[in-house]
Amino acid sequence: MKSKYLIFSALMAFSTVLNAQTATSPKITTYFSVYNTIGTYTGQFNPSYIFSTNTYKIGFPIGVNIYKSPKMGFSFEFIPYITSTNSGVSGKSGSTVNELQFHPGLLFPLKHGFALAERVSLSTSGRYGVTQSISKTLYKGEGCTYYASIPMGLRFGNENPSAISGVNSFFWGLCVGAAF
């Protein structure tokens, strides 16, 4: 009879330890956002990238953030890009999903709702490099957090000259999204 109580007590203690470990497990969030390039530098300054070319490119970052501690986390991000072209003279236009980027990296939460992300960039276009972004929480609700970020990066590969992100150019962009 005494052994039944001992086994029961051991199982209860083990269950309590497991529940305590679950309470301290990593915090996991998912997110979806929309990315637009605001300006580029390809030998000359072009502040109106969105309206100045016959090509428009928009990205839709989707990702998972795993915070191991309040000071650092890991992020897996995928960005499919849709490119729309307008040839003007020939009258032909079209749009395609022509690129997918994978951005694994580290997250560093900062004070006042800011965060810094340092990511590696691997693209199906044959380019690779690093991307750095600073983000700010705009509104934090019960089930959803809205944020904005400004990404910048450096790219290599695919027989193109080194560039600070974008397509062979320095760029700055704006990413607005929601985390769940």
Side-chain angles (χ1 to χ4, degrees), residues 69-176:
S69 75
K71 295 182 179 183
M72 190 177 86
F74 189 75
S75 179
F76 294 99
E77 179 178 80
F78 292 93
I79 308 174
Y81 285 96
I82 296 175
T83 302
S84 176
T85 57
N86 182 7
S87 61
V89 176
S90 67
K92 292 182 181 180
S93 62
S95 63
T96 61
V97 177
N98 65 344
E99 182 179 353
L100 177 67
Q101 283 186 348
F102 175 50
H103 273 152
L106 297 176
L107 301 173
F108 301 98
L110 306 171
K111 294 180 181 181
H112 308 293
F114 285 94
L116 176 67
E118 299 287 343
R119 293 186 169 106
V120 173
S121 175
L122 307 166
S123 176
T124 57
S125 69
R127 306 278 286 163
Y128 58 92
V130 293
T131 302
Q132 181 179 58
S133 67
I134 186 88
S135 65
K136 169 73 171 126
T137 298
L138 302 175
Y139 174 77
K140 190 167 189 167
E142 254 184 65
C144 184
T145 300
Y146 298 97
Y147 70 94
S149 68
I150 299 173
M152 298 168 278
L154 183 63
R155 300 289 186 268
F156 307 97
N158 200 19
E159 298 181 13
N160 291 323
S162 297
I164 297 182
S165 208
V167 180
N168 303 323
S169 62
F170 170 75
F171 90 101
W172 55 99
L174 178 63
C175 191
V176 180

Side-chain angles (χ1 to χ4, degrees), residues 25-31 63-69 72-76 105-107 109:
S25 64
K27 177 184 172 188
I28 299 173
T29 60
T30 58
Y31 63 91
V64 175
N65 295 334
I66 304 169
Y67 292 95
K68 186 69 175 164
S69 75
M72 190 177 86
F74 189 75
S75 179
F76 294 99
L106 297 176
L107 301 173

